[in-house]
Amino acid sequence: MKPLLLDVPVTDWKLPAGQAYREKQIRDWVLKRFVSSYEEMTDLSAPLRADLSSRFRLRAAEPAKIQGSEDTTRKFLWKLGDGSFVESVLIPATMGSSGRRSTRLTLCVSSQVGCAYGCRFCASGIDGWRRHLTTAEILGQVIEAAKIAGRRPDNLVFMGMGEPLANLPNLLPALELLISPSGIGMGARHVTISTSGLAPQIEELARHPLQFRLALSLHAASDEIRDKIMPVNKRYPLDRLLKACDAFVQAKNKQIYFEYILLAGINDDPSQARLLAQHARRLHAKVNLIPYNKVEGLPYERPSETAIRQFCQTLLQNGVRATVRREKGHDIDAACGQLRLKEINFKGEASS
Ligand code: SAH
Ligand code: SF4
């Protein structure tokens, strides 16, 4: 199979001598105008278009299925070149007061096919890990969603399927093209990477000059409980993980975010809230509480509304910024942690 153009260093594009400016033209077509074919790149010569097309594929992902939720969230199932599938979710939110209303689009993207980390509450890990997404496949989800939506998303969150920090070699070049004004141009404040807690990679990112937002999927405030629901905690226990976060916050001088799913009877006790508040204060982190989204076949339940409110209240009383995230897309299994290759098996074929 031919490689994808955006996965190949520009030196290997072998642009005609003296035509280095073609790189910008081509990148603009792909990253700013979201074209699907070389034919649409009308300022390139026909022989150059033919040459590129004979050597490199352009489209990394094609829509296999688009589902719309009643709340206008849209879930995309993408087919990749090797027949694998991944999903992204586009979530519109209305901002501002009457007269000045605008809709912001947040796109939730995947970083891997499947996930190796097996968090007990998450649908994405159920079928295991298949492979990393390439740089072009990560970008392809944004390009294709922008094409369908008619514009570039305003925010991007790496909260789809997979563990982004386990795929840093492909993620970092994608981030660069997402953020840079000469790429898609999203801006660092509008791109959030979520991790289950890979301490060495958090430290590596602390040393890396790229800017973006970091969200840590904490989900428990003590090792005893985190061990039970997130196997990754055995490898990087809280002490090690929070030290890596210290390094990140210090190096970047940026706020980080804790994601905390509320699971009834597991991690929603007031003592966990107080411990969580300690960790959050230490790192000046903001806490996003996520009432658990039901996953078929998993035994967890979301706590009562009263318990959710009380947990949030305890954090606020302990001096921590905290909000409860009300999610969208439940009716189409598009909410956090519900992304799973349900309708397909891991050979990438549609199963009935
Ligand atoms: N692997 C990364 C990013 C993808 S998961 C990570 O774990 O951070 C995106 C977010 O969805 C994480 O915070 C994850 O813990 C959360 N999540 C997983 N399953 C969920 C569920 N059933 N309900 C609510 N959130 C869930
Ligand atoms: Fe993987 Fe994140 Fe799901 Fe854990 S929560 S299984 S790391 S996708």
Side-chain angles (χ1 to χ4, degrees):
M1 196 171 27
K2 287 184 280 190
L4 286 158
L5 183 75
L6 292 181
D7 283 332
V8 176
V10 69
T11 43
D12 292 347
W13 292 7
K14 300 211 164 60
L15 293 169
Q19 297 195 9
Y21 63 94
R22 296 282 186 208
E23 176 187 356
K24 179 172 171 2
Q25 286 179 322
I26 296 168
R27 287 203 195 280
D28 281 357
W29 282 114
V30 181
L31 299 170
K32 295 196 193 297
R33 296 162 87 167
F34 313 123
V35 296
S36 302
S37 67
Y38 292 103
E39 286 76 66
E40 290 161 83
M41 302 183 184
T42 46
D43 53 5
L44 303 191
S45 70
L48 177 55
R49 280 183 273 163
D51 174 50
L52 289 172
S53 125
S54 71
R55 290 183 296 130
F56 308 117
R57 285 180 297 135
L58 190 62
R59 275 185 101 179
E62 299 203 14
K65 186 169 170 186
I66 303 177
Q67 276 174 285
S69 160
E70 281 169 12
D71 64 22
T72 71
T73 297
R74 270 186 286 179
K75 180 161 83 164
F76 306 108
L77 179 71
W78 308 118
K79 187 169 188 190
L80 309 178
D82 68 344
S84 299
F85 292 89
V86 287
E87 290 176 318
S88 315
V89 182
L90 190 66
I91 310 146
T94 308
M95 314 300 291
S97 51
S98 59
R100 286 185 152 212
R101 280 194 197 288
S102 63
T103 301
R104 281 222 233 125
L105 293 178
T106 297
L107 185 70
C108 172
V109 293
S110 297
S111 54
Q112 301 181 309
V113 184
C115 184
Y117 287 83
C119 303
R120 304 278 180 254
F121 44 79
C122 176
S124 298
I126 289 176
D127 301 303
W129 180 83
R130 184 168 180 196
R131 69 171 175 86
H132 295 303
L133 293 189
T134 69
T135 299
E137 288 168 338
I138 294 172
L139 292 166
Q141 297 169 71
V142 186
I143 293 167
E144 294 293 325
K147 205 180 299 173
I148 294 166
R151 69 177 171 100
R152 184 183 81 184
D154 303 289
N155 299 301
L156 207 69
V157 294
F158 282 82
M159 294 188 184
M161 183 179 282
E163 169 49 56
L165 297 200
N167 187 15
L168 273 191
N170 296 341
L171 179 75
L172 287 174
L175 274 181
E176 223 152 306
L177 288 175
L178 280 167
I179 289 166
S180 142
S182 64
I184 295 184
M186 307 263 323
R189 281 183 305 124
H190 299 284
V191 177
T192 302
I193 313 278
S194 176
T195 178
S196 60
L198 307 195
Q201 282 86 344
I202 293 173
E203 286 158 355
E204 188 179 335
L205 286 176
R207 293 188 295 268
H208 198 282
L210 260 181
Q211 297 289 343
F212 51 85
R213 288 185 176 207
L214 184 69
L216 175 66
S217 292
L218 202 57
H219 308 324
S222 63
D223 282 325
E224 190 201 347
I225 297 178
R226 203 164 190 264
D227 276 348
K228 286 194 189 129
I229 55 177
M230 299 182 74
V232 68
N233 198 62
K234 294 238 158 65
R235 204 164 353 142
Y236 307 116
L238 281 173
D239 186 41
R240 167 90 173 86
L241 178 56
L242 296 175
K243 278 198 184 113
C245 293
D246 282 334
F248 184 90
V249 172
Q250 270 177 21
K252 302 269 184 207
N253 196 17
K254 272 235 159 87
Q255 177 160 54
I256 68 164
Y257 299 79
F258 285 169
E259 310 284 302
Y260 196 100
I261 303 178
L262 287 164
L263 302 161
I266 309 273
N267 65 356
D268 59 343
D269 192 82
S271 63
Q272 281 291 299
R274 286 190 291 273
L275 207 48
L276 174 61
Q278 275 180 27
H279 301 321
R281 279 204 310 270
R282 156 178 170 180
L283 285 158
H284 305 290
K286 183 182 173 231
V287 178
N288 287 322
L289 297 172
I290 313 168
Y292 178 64
N293 297 316
K294 190 77 192 144
V295 175
E296 223 180 277
L298 299 185
Y300 303 104
E301 296 293 339
R302 77 166 47 177
S304 68
E305 281 302 313
T306 318
I308 293 172
R309 229 175 307 125
Q310 267 169 9
F311 196 94
C312 190
Q313 214 43 49
T314 307
L315 292 174
L316 297 171
Q317 281 159 1
N318 281 274
V320 172
R321 282 176 65 204
T323 49
V324 179
R325 193 197 282 163
R326 296 290 163 192
E327 287 189 319
K328 298 186 167 184
H330 285 264
D331 51 334
I332 54 168
D333 278 350
C336 260
Q338 291 185 320
L339 296 190
R340 186 187 172 187
L341 303 176
K342 229 184 207 172
E343 47 275 88
I344 44 189
N345 62 34
F346 261 74
K347 291 189 195 77
E349 300 149 354
S351 62
S352 51

